[in-house]
Amino acid sequence: MTSSPTAPAPAPSTLGAPRGLPLAPVLFILGSCFSLQFGAALATQLFPAIGSFGTTTLRLGLAAIVLLVIVRPRPLRLNRSQWRSILAFGVVIGAMNGSFYAAIERIPLGTAVAIEFLGPLVVSAALSTRRMDYLWVLLAVGGVGLFGLEPLLGAAELDPIGVLFALVAAVFWGLYVLTSAKVGQTVPGQDGLALGLAIGALTVLPLGAPGALTGLLDLRLLALAVGTAVLASVLPYTLELAALRRLPRHVFGILLSLEPVIALAAGLLLLGQQATPLRLAAALLVVAASAGVTITGRAAPPDTAQPVDEPPGWDLPTPTHATVTSEIPVLTEEDLHGET
């Protein structure tokens, strides 16, 4: 999602560089995490007026328009198999975002993000042959379980419908890892992402059309929606793509594992939500589990960044915080179909 997404300018390689990490891509990832979560916090300001699904429809629709203009995909050149991959990817985008926004309409942002992280962690364990990955998932489940202690201790109440939506979002985040990897493998450039966002917007349109129409007719609401689309979609994807080309994958994944804590901070600073000791402990356990999967996962050599000029046939996975958080590379047909 840079100015020339299909042919990015070569970036300095970290091979042969000093031991210290390059500062710019690290800042890109941290900026992406903050942008994504602060964008979600901004989205909650729209919920009273247009609802969570109206907000989702506007966010995805506006982000899709921006990317379609920048990327200028050529849909007529795609074959039937590529379109199937993009359609699945787009439906998952819509369902994931819609259920996540429905969750943060009802429960704290940090809680929803921590629960949603179970999705990519479970996918990572399912595709792994190492028992250690199952231990990381159990650690994350234990962390999420801490959220359930607050109602039992009388410290806070969690809306069960909100928790259910967060779990649904986790399922679709797991599917997002698989579908985005498939699109990244089979669709050239960023055409799949641009078209997928458009399909995602159409997926939630039946539920979000009334709210989205209200938002389009109100300049204040429309401005908030544009800000949400930029902060929660366009900017994070752009920063992550730039960082993914310059950082080792394991570093990329570890930095993205900080998202539950950043979500707690966004909820605290922007929404006045409490960061209780139990919520902080739960978020830290999920962060530790995600970082653990990344550190022990099947990764590129620790000193190797994602190359910019690989031979033909190699392509980046669709750049998102979900795809590489659990250190899953571009999946092969054997991975996707469970073959050995």
Side-chain angles (χ1 to χ4, degrees):
M1 283 146 296
T2 56
S3 57
S4 56
T6 58
S13 174
T14 58
L15 288 174
R19 289 186 179 181
L21 288 171
L23 180 60
V26 172
L27 293 178
F28 289 163
I29 291 300
L30 293 178
S32 170
C33 291
F34 277 99
S35 179
L36 190 70
Q37 301 309 329
F38 277 71
L42 180 63
T44 63
Q45 307 305 307
L46 288 165
F47 291 166
I50 64 176
S52 60
F53 284 100
T55 302
T56 305
T57 303
L58 270 184
R59 172 200 157 185
L60 293 179
L62 292 170
I65 290 172
V66 171
L67 285 177
L68 288 171
V69 170
I70 294 173
V71 175
R72 289 180 294 179
R74 300 178 180 181
L76 296 180
R77 294 191 177 186
L78 300 174
N79 60 39
R80 185 175 298 180
S81 176
Q82 289 171 319
W83 266 114
R84 281 198 298 266
S85 299
I86 293 172
L87 285 170
F89 178 50
V91 169
V92 168
I93 285 178
M96 179 182 69
N97 282 279
S99 55
F100 177 70
Y101 273 22
I104 64 175
E105 187 178 23
R106 296 167 172 82
I107 61 177
L109 177 60
T111 303
V113 171
I115 294 173
E116 195 190 22
F117 250 67
L118 292 176
L121 285 172
V122 170
V123 168
S124 178
L127 293 177
S128 173
T129 58
R130 295 180 309 275
R131 294 180 180 179
M132 178 63 71
D133 284 346
Y134 293 97
L135 295 178
W136 294 125
V137 171
L138 288 176
L139 180 65
V141 170
V144 170
L146 290 180
F147 291 118
L149 290 180
E150 286 191 322
L152 295 177
L153 297 175
E157 289 293 333
L158 281 180
D159 185 331
I161 301 298
V163 173
L164 178 61
F165 272 121
L167 290 171
V168 171
V171 172
F172 281 106
W173 196 353
L175 293 174
Y176 184 71
V177 171
L178 300 175
T179 57
S180 64
K182 180 68 172 177
V183 168
Q185 180 191 20
T186 60
V187 182
Q190 297 305 308
D191 289 18
L193 179 58
L195 293 170
L197 280 174
I199 293 168
L202 293 175
T203 299
V204 293
L205 183 61
L207 294 174
L213 181 60
T214 300
L216 288 173
L217 297 177
D218 187 307
L219 289 181
R220 185 186 70 85
L221 296 177
L222 182 59
L224 283 174
V226 170
T228 299
V230 172
L231 287 174
S233 292
V234 179
L235 186 57
Y237 291 147
T238 302
L239 291 173
E240 286 168 9
L241 176 59
L244 186 59
R245 296 182 182 277
R246 294 166 173 85
L247 277 181
R249 276 192 186 179
H250 72 292
V251 176
F252 189 94
I254 291 169
L255 289 172
L256 289 176
S257 299
L258 296 173
E259 281 194 18
V261 173
I262 293 174
L264 274 178
L268 176 66
L269 295 175
L270 297 184
L271 303 176
Q273 296 172 347
Q274 290 184 323
T276 64
L278 272 177
R279 290 177 188 174
L280 184 58
L284 289 176
L285 285 176
V286 173
V287 167
S290 183
V293 167
T294 299
I295 292 170
T296 61
R298 53 179 183 181
D303 60 346
T304 304
Q306 286 277 22
V308 178
D309 51 355
E310 281 281 343
W314 186 91
D315 197 8
L316 287 169
T318 303
T320 102
H321 65 292
T323 302
V324 293
T325 293
S326 298
E327 207 45 53
I328 297 178
V330 179
L331 302 181
T332 65
E333 288 290 335
E334 288 77 14
D335 291 326
L336 292 168
H337 294 292
E339 299 174 7
T340 55

